Amino acid sequence: MDPTRSIPTTRPLRRRTAARRAHRSQSPWSISALARLMITATTTALLLLLAAHTPTVVLATPWTFNIGVILPFTGPDGTPNLSIETLYQLITTALPVMNSYNSTYYQFNLIRGNSMDSRSGAIAAMYELYDQNNTVAYIGEASSGMTVPLVLAESRVRTWHCSGMASSTDLSKDDFPRFFRTIPDDSQQGVALARFVKSMGWTHVNILASTDSYGTSIGASFTEAARVLNITLSLSDVYPSGTQDMSMQVKNILNSESNVVILALSSGDDAITLLREARKQGALDASHVWIGTDAMSEYLPFLNPNSPTYASDLANAQGVFFVYPLLATGSAPYRQMEAAWAAMGKTTSPDAIAYGGLNYDCALAIAKGLIQIAVKYGAENVTMKNLWLVNHFFTPPFDGATGTLAFTDTGDRLGDFSVWNMYTGTKRVAYNIYANASVVRINAPQFYSGTAIPPPDIPPKTALYPTWSDPFVVATAVVRALLLALFSAGTGVLVMHRTKPMVKNLSFPFLVIITVGCQLVLVSEFVAVGEPTRVTCHAPVWILTVGYEMAMTSAAVKTYRIWRIFDKSMRRLRAINNEFLFRLVGGFILVQSIIFAIWLGAFPSTPVAVSSKQYLYYECRSSNPMGVTVVTGVSVAMNALLLAFVIFLGYKTRNVASSFRETLWIMYTSQNVGFVAIIVLSFSLISLSDFALGAYIVRTVLLIYAVIFTYMALVGRLVVALLRGAANVESASGTGKAGGTGTLTATGAATARAQAGMKVSLNHDTGKVAHVHGRYPVKETSRWFATWKTHAVHLYAGDGYLALVPDSAETAGHLGTMVRLAGTTFDPSPVNYATCMAIYSRGRSWVIQFDKDEDRDAWAKVMASVATVSAASRSRSKDPRASGGNKEAGNPGASLPSLASEGVLATANTSRGMLPVRGAGAKD
């Protein structure tokens, strides 16, 4: 019924009834009077019955509805909240529109209520507004956590409530029959976020949500939508709302696989705290994308321009995105709101105010609903019982500042969203996300890098395993290839000279085995390059171990033979032959191969990818870790014992004057291999995750070093000596003798011949030789690249010393060497050194060149009285094919067995030493 028709009808009816009461008191009863009374009563009853079915409006002036706006205008300590104050001012611009809906009969008034940012404060403000102003509806609160208890308290007074900020799905339940909102609920926002992520091509994201109802509901809806859209959550983390420490959350994000972060934060303050911590930990960069929910719209308004951190806080939001309900900026209601805002003297745009348009539309929706109920049931009955949103309050959909307002049965708004992009302290819409699942680009986005190119959700991972695209792998592969070629060439040299005594003395077969072992170690690294497979989990280890064992077992049996000669009975010396030693080497390698075959057959290992945010590497894992542990333990123990055995024997025989000081170099080699093995095993058996490639680099460098050292110490020195043999023969032999005098023709050798012959001094008491001396060219053959130099050579037979003193202008001031003859051996006719005598002592060796064989023989006779003739010399003296041997000088030691095959020079005492002697021209 039109209210304008009910007002004149009701008032005359009341006046006529009063007049007739006065007339009845003066007139007697009559039939006509009774008839009139009955007609009047009947008419009154009919009017009352009609009134029961027709709304009656008794307004002489427009009815004013008071609507409370409950927001945290201040904090608990009374500090003004300027952004909330600005929001309230924008809400008040809706009053002219509200009052224009039915200005004749209904007007509206907005009354503020300060919740002081607490639940109890919000409820207290509501009751105060109700008691003092008879409020019938409310707008607010600023968060879902504050709104839920507020709406529950309002159920006692049956008021209506609209929120433009509370989006929790908890408010969609039947527990809130008079609550509705203009902001889409979190379930819709979570779906919109997931659709945006999908449209950007990202498939892996992180989500950080607050523990309150707002964060929980968005987290749940996004998680479900992500599952439907096949989006993987690399990290799902939470934080307590209002916390000031988000260091752990940011650290978790940095450690996560994805660089795309969804933020369901409770407020702009939380966003400020988070981004500051992200800046501190280096998480704000071109590789990361931060996407917030509608709460992120509070970020810029919450910043204080007077704060010293204002500039850095603005920079922290560079390239940050957030989802926000779509604003219909081109619609007439929005332009009307914008004009009213400008009329208040405001220069900023309404869309710069967080939730401004949504709360503005709340005011319009409440006004329409209250008018609809008042017209039907009376203004005084707008809060009576049995009134519902759908049947009584909601009007047909209408256009507001944020678009068309249409609501579900639970009071939720069906809305679209925009994706806002913050950059350089401003924000603009980059995308619109519609309810039909379409995502439309509005403006070019600006990510942290300043470009519109979305960074990948999963950054390219660095492969922490060797690949052929790695320059280091290529470089080391070239080095290994060159070494393999050199070692092969060295083997060729050994084959060509295998009949020479120096090769025989060092046992040609074992030299070849050591070379092959070194080559296998190098080859094992080639097999390990590339993406790991089941083959690469076994082959490199197997090849490396066999190569190591070939070299070390060969060194072990060679040293064992020498040790048996000098520390054991020599009656069984003939039993230690090459065939027996070969069986030892082969048996050890066979046992190791059987162990590895059990590993491969019973519990094989397969590569398992292990990835972090930046790296990808593989670990070889077995379905039976215990079995692999046993195999590894047994293998390590076997080879450790082998190495310890070689070190022990090398140490025990270190002072044996063997050819090329072989036992001493075997000890050096075993020590180096042991040092390298400790490091290589540590990097191989211990998982170092992000340092996996670094561990490979360390292993590779150390293995190459160990191989080079082992080869040069045990084989390479002999190969070099063989290659230089022609020059040595040339320099130590006379190319044309005249009177038995040879000349030195080698480059760098001493060219001066002895200026005086052998001089001998006798002991006056005994008549024996006491001192022999002369000037001769001397070369220290135990040093690489040594040259011939003139020395004054003194033999003190009575004292048991041999002095080698540099005696030339170029060596003036150089120290000489005093050799203790006890334990020293000599060779009166060394191979490849004609007219020379070789001296061996404590791992060092020298060659002294004489003018003629007679001088050499005279020296050898004196040396034989104080030193031991080498076994190699005696073996040549027994061989009719040997050349240049001095049988007379070798007689004193003829009773010793021939040890030439072991490359050993007999020695009688290991307690010997060498003392330095100053050369000619030296000053004290």
Side-chain angles (χ1 to χ4, degrees):
M1 177 181 293
D2 188 348
T4 58
R5 297 182 180 179
S6 62
I7 294 175
T9 303
T10 305
R11 288 179 180 174
L13 178 61
R14 287 198 295 269
R15 287 197 294 270
R16 288 194 296 270
T17 304
R20 286 190 173 90
R21 284 200 189 104
H23 179 74
R24 274 199 313 269
S25 61
Q26 298 175 2
S27 305
W29 291 95
S30 61
I31 295 176
S32 59
L34 290 174
R36 285 194 297 273
L37 182 60
M38 293 177 64
I39 293 173
T40 301
T42 303
T43 303
T44 302
L46 291 173
L47 290 174
L48 291 174
L49 182 62
L50 182 62
H53 296 277
T54 305
T56 302
V57 181
V58 290
L59 301 177
T61 57
W63 186 288
T64 299
F65 293 109
N66 290 328
I67 301 173
V69 181
I70 302 177
L71 293 170
F73 290 95
T74 68
D77 58 353
T79 303
N81 193 331
L82 300 180
S83 61
I84 294 298
E85 185 65 37
T86 303
L87 172 63
Y88 177 75
Q89 292 176 5
L90 181 61
I91 297 174
T92 60
T93 61
L95 278 173
V97 180
M98 297 164 64
N99 291 328
S100 68
Y101 288 153
N102 196 331
S103 58
T104 304
Y105 300 105
Y106 307 107
Q107 294 291 295
F108 298 90
N109 186 32
L110 298 177
I111 305 174
R112 59 195 294 164
N114 183 13
S115 67
M116 301 183 68
D117 202 18
S118 68
R119 297 180 180 182
S120 59
I123 295 174
M126 181 271 294
Y127 280 124
E128 183 178 357
L129 290 175
Y130 181 80
D131 293 338
Q132 296 181 6
N133 302 281
N134 195 27
T135 49
V136 295
Y138 296 96
I139 299 174
E141 240 279 355
S143 68
S144 298
M146 303 272 283
T147 304
V148 170
L150 178 61
V151 176
L152 288 174
E154 290 170 3
S155 62
R156 178 181 176 185
V157 294
R158 301 190 300 274
T159 54
W160 304 94
H161 194 114
C162 178
S163 176
M165 304 167 77
S167 57
S168 171
T169 53
D170 290 343
L171 291 164
S172 301
K173 301 176 182 178
D174 294 336
D175 297 337
F176 311 97
R178 296 194 177 188
F179 171 83
F180 68 102
R181 47 192 165 190
T182 54
I183 182 173
D185 66 291
D186 292 339
S187 63
Q188 297 182 67
Q189 189 170 182
V191 172
L193 277 167
R195 288 172 177 168
F196 174 65
V197 167
K198 191 70 173 180
S199 70
M200 301 300 289
W202 298 321
T203 58
H204 292 74
V205 297
N206 309 313
I207 182 169
L208 175 62
S210 60
T211 54
D212 57 14
S213 58
Y214 172 79
T216 302
S217 58
I218 286 188
S221 62
F222 176 81
T223 300
E224 176 59 23
R227 183 191 64 80
V228 173
L229 296 176
N230 294 320
I231 298 173
T232 302
L233 294 184
S234 300
L235 171 69
S236 181
D237 204 354
V238 296
Y239 77 97
S241 177
T243 183
Q244 295 300 309
D245 182 11
M246 292 194 182
S247 57
M248 185 56 66
Q249 284 78 9
V250 174
K251 182 178 180 180
N252 293 339
I253 290 171
L254 285 173
N255 292 333
S256 171
E257 181 182 27
S258 175
N259 280 350
V260 179
V261 188
I262 304 299
L263 302 174
L265 308 180
S266 292
S267 64
D269 285 334
D270 289 351
I272 293 172
T273 301
L274 173 68
L275 294 183
R276 285 176 179 173
E277 183 62 34
R279 170 72 67 184
K280 181 179 178 181
Q281 296 193 30
L284 296 182
D285 54 30
S287 65
H288 285 84
V289 183
W290 302 80
I291 307 170
T293 54
D294 58 278
M296 186 65 76
S297 64
E298 302 174 356
Y299 184 86
L300 292 178
F302 273 34
L303 298 181
N304 184 0
N306 298 322
S307 171
T309 62
Y310 179 73
S312 61
D313 287 335
L314 282 180
N316 290 345
Q318 204 88 316
V320 174
F321 296 82
F322 65 88
V323 173
Y324 190 83
L326 182 88
L327 292 177
T329 54
S331 65
Y334 179 87
R335 290 196 297 269
Q336 191 175 17
M337 177 185 69
E338 187 177 40
W341 183 244
M344 296 177 65
K346 306 296 183 178
T347 57
T348 58
S349 174
D351 58 29
I353 302 171
Y355 305 101
L358 295 170
N359 284 280
Y360 177 94
D361 282 348
C362 257
L364 301 185
I366 285 178
K368 284 183 171 290
L370 289 176
I371 291 175
Q372 180 169 276
I373 293 177
V375 169
K376 190 172 183 180
Y377 300 105
E380 69 279 10
N381 297 322
V382 293
T383 60
M384 69 179 185
K385 295 181 179 180
N386 300 323
L387 294 179
W388 313 104
L389 286 172
V390 176
N391 298 326
H392 305 99
F393 189 87
F394 284 153
T395 62
F398 67 96
D399 291 334
T402 58
T404 301
L405 278 82
F407 302 96
T408 66
D409 293 349
T410 57
D412 294 323
R413 179 185 180 182
L414 299 176
D416 302 322
F417 292 86
S418 296
V419 178
W420 290 75
N421 184 193
M422 292 188 286
Y423 207 87
T424 63
T426 61
K427 63 179 182 178
R428 65 175 182 176
V429 175
Y431 299 89
N432 281 342
I433 308 170
Y434 297 101
N436 62 3
S438 62
V439 179
V440 179
R441 176 169 165 172
I442 306 300
N443 293 295
Q446 281 186 291
F447 294 90
Y448 186 91
S449 61
T451 68
I453 302 174
D457 52 345
I458 300 179
K461 289 181 172 59
T462 301
L464 295 184
Y465 55 87
T467 61
W468 290 115
S469 61
D470 190 333
F472 174 82
V473 174
V474 175
T476 53
V478 172
V479 172
R480 288 195 296 269
L482 292 176
L483 290 175
L484 287 171
L486 289 175
F487 294 174
S488 298
T491 302
V493 172
L494 293 176
V495 172
M496 292 174 59
H497 298 84
R498 64 185 181 277
T499 59
K500 289 191 175 182
M502 67 169 60
V503 178
K504 286 185 175 181
N505 290 347
L506 294 180
S507 187
F508 169 75
F510 289 111
L511 293 175
V512 174
I513 293 176
I514 292 173
T515 302
V516 174
C518 291
Q519 290 178 314
L520 286 178
V521 173
L522 295 174
V523 170
S524 68
E525 292 298 298
F526 283 111
V527 181
V529 178
E531 184 172 342
T533 63
R534 183 173 177 178
V535 173
T536 58
C537 281
H538 293 267
V541 179
W542 200 327
I543 296 173
L544 173 64
T545 305
V546 170
Y548 158 84
E549 290 175 351
M550 290 180 72
M552 286 296 101
T553 52
S554 298
V557 296
K558 285 161 66 71
T559 313
Y560 171 71
R561 177 158 54 187
I562 297 173
W563 177 71
R564 280 289 305 271
I565 291 172
F566 289 98
D567 282 28
K568 298 291 182 180
S569 172
M570 299 187 182
R571 288 175 299 178
R572 297 181 58 83
L573 182 61
R574 295 181 182 276
I576 308 178
N577 52 36
N578 283 347
E579 182 180 353
F580 172 73
L581 298 179
F582 279 143
R583 287 199 298 269
L584 291 179
V585 172
F588 194 95
I589 296 175
L590 178 62
V591 171
Q592 181 66 77
S593 298
I594 292 174
I595 293 174
F596 280 159
I598 294 174
W599 171 29
L600 179 61
F603 25 84
S605 297
T606 56
V608 177
V610 180
S611 63
S612 64
K613 188 165 189 174
Q614 298 175 338
Y615 304 111
L616 171 66
Y617 67 100
Y618 289 83
E619 290 183 352
C620 290
R621 298 176 182 174
S622 172
S623 58
N624 188 346
M626 181 57 67
V628 175
T629 301
V630 172
V631 167
T632 303
V634 172
S635 298
V636 170
M638 282 179 53
N639 290 281
L641 290 174
L642 170 63
L643 186 62
F645 182 69
V646 176
I647 293 175
F648 170 77
L649 293 181
Y651 175 78
K652 296 292 289 185
T653 59
R654 70 191 184 282
N655 292 322
V656 174
S658 57
S659 298
F660 284 84
R661 300 178 297 163
E662 185 181 28
T663 56
L664 184 64
W665 281 100
I666 286 177
M667 185 183 71
Y668 291 157
T669 299
S670 58
Q671 290 173 344
N672 274 270
V673 171
F675 168 75
V676 170
I678 292 173
I679 300 177
V680 170
L681 284 175
S682 299
F683 282 113
S684 300
L685 300 180
I686 301 174
S687 178
L688 299 175
S689 62
D690 291 353
F691 193 65
L693 186 59
Y696 166 81
I697 293 173
V698 173
R699 289 198 307 268
T700 299
V701 172
L702 288 177
L703 285 176
I704 291 177
Y705 158 76
V707 167
I708 293 175
F709 189 95
T710 301
Y711 180 80
M712 291 305 300
L714 304 184
V715 182
R717 295 185 306 119
L718 176 60
V719 173
V720 172
L722 290 171
L723 293 175
R724 297 179 61 200
N728 290 334
V729 171
E730 228 181 83
S731 64
S733 62
T735 57
K737 291 194 174 185
T741 303
T743 58
L744 301 177
T745 59
T747 303
T751 57
R753 291 183 296 171
Q755 297 177 359
M758 174 183 176
K759 297 180 180 180
V760 180
S761 300
L762 301 178
N763 187 307
H764 296 290
D765 296 330
T766 63
K768 295 182 179 181
V769 175
H771 177 217
V772 181
H773 67 95
R775 296 181 72 248
Y776 307 101
V778 177
K779 176 181 178 181
E780 185 176 355
T781 55
S782 56
R783 291 176 53 195
W784 290 3
F785 312 115
T787 58
W788 294 91
K789 290 182 173 58
T790 300
H791 282 64
V793 182
H794 298 264
L795 174 60
Y796 300 96
D799 298 325
Y801 284 100
L802 177 69
L804 303 173
V805 184
D807 189 17
S808 64
E810 64 182 73
T811 60
H814 289 194
L815 289 176
T817 303
M818 183 74 80
V819 180
R820 193 186 304 272
L821 294 176
T824 298
T825 61
F826 74 98
D827 188 346
S829 57
V831 177
N832 295 331
Y833 292 97
T835 321
C836 293
M837 181 172 62
I839 309 295
Y840 304 96
S841 179
R842 199 174 177 80
R844 298 177 66 182
S845 60
W846 299 263
V847 173
I848 304 173
Q849 184 187 36
F850 299 91
D851 287 342
K852 51 188 176 180
D853 290 339
E854 288 80 359
D855 290 348
R856 188 263 324 272
D857 294 343
W859 273 87
K861 289 180 180 180
V862 179
M863 284 290 296
S865 65
V866 292
T868 305
V869 180
S870 70
S873 175
R874 287 192 300 276
S875 67
R876 290 196 303 273
S877 68
K878 295 178 181 180
D879 188 347
R881 294 172 296 178
S883 60
N886 190 317
K887 298 180 178 58
E888 183 180 357
N891 285 337
S895 62
L896 289 174
S898 175
L899 307 179
S901 62
E902 283 76 37
V904 180
L905 299 178
T907 176
N909 194 339
T910 60
S911 60
R912 56 192 177 275
M914 291 168 285
L915 303 176
V917 179
R918 289 187 179 271
K923 296 181 180 180
D924 293 334

